Amino acid sequence: MDNDDASSDDKRIATRMDMGLPIQARVGEGEHIDLEMVDISASGMQIRSPDFDVLKRGFDAQHNSATFEVRLIARLAWARPEDDGTFVTGWEFDRPDDEPRIG
């Protein structure tokens, strides 16, 4: 596992989108835990956890990988039908009123 400071040595190819989003996630077959999605891109993500041991329990050290299931709770804010028969929907995250909103 690479211990380099990600902020000083950015190795990602794709552009990162800062999130700072509280999430619940399950790593491997473990329980859902409270985490923070720091940022995400097409090639990876950063998460913040108060307990690294919880992450290690769901981590496959042999293959240096983990399966993440991320749970987001959101409210349907709007829906729009498209010409091709699909729908585009907007979802609002439950965040404190003083925090900036997406969109």
Side-chain angles (χ1 to χ4, degrees), residues 13-47:
I13 296 168
T15 302
R16 295 174 188 230
M17 180 187 313
D18 289 334
M19 300 294 286
L21 182 65
I23 61 170
Q24 287 187 335
R26 182 169 65 184
V27 184
E29 298 299 318
E31 297 295 316
H32 282 93
I33 55 175
D34 292 327
L35 300 170
E36 177 190 355
M37 183 178 291
V38 176
D39 67 33
I40 194 166
S41 74
S43 62
M45 68 178 170
Q46 289 187 59
I47 59 172

Side-chain angles (χ1 to χ4, degrees), residues 28-98:
E29 298 299 318
E31 297 295 316
H32 282 93
I33 55 175
D34 292 327
L35 300 170
E36 177 190 355
M37 183 178 291
V38 176
D39 67 33
I40 194 166
S41 74
S43 62
M45 68 178 170
Q46 289 187 59
I47 59 172
R48 181 171 289 119
S49 171
D51 182 1
F52 188 66
D53 288 336
V54 172
L55 298 177
K56 289 193 313 187
R57 285 193 289 272
F59 181 74
D60 178 355
Q62 181 179 0
H63 297 101
N64 197 33
S65 67
T67 300
F68 284 85
E69 177 185 301
V70 176
R71 181 188 304 179
L72 298 172
I73 298 173
R75 179 187 70 81
L76 179 61
W78 55 268
R80 181 182 69 225
E82 296 288 292
D83 293 336
D84 65 0
T86 62
F87 290 85
V88 176
T89 56
W91 296 86
E92 186 174 80
F93 298 123
D94 184 21
R95 298 179 68 135
D97 290 334
D98 60 343

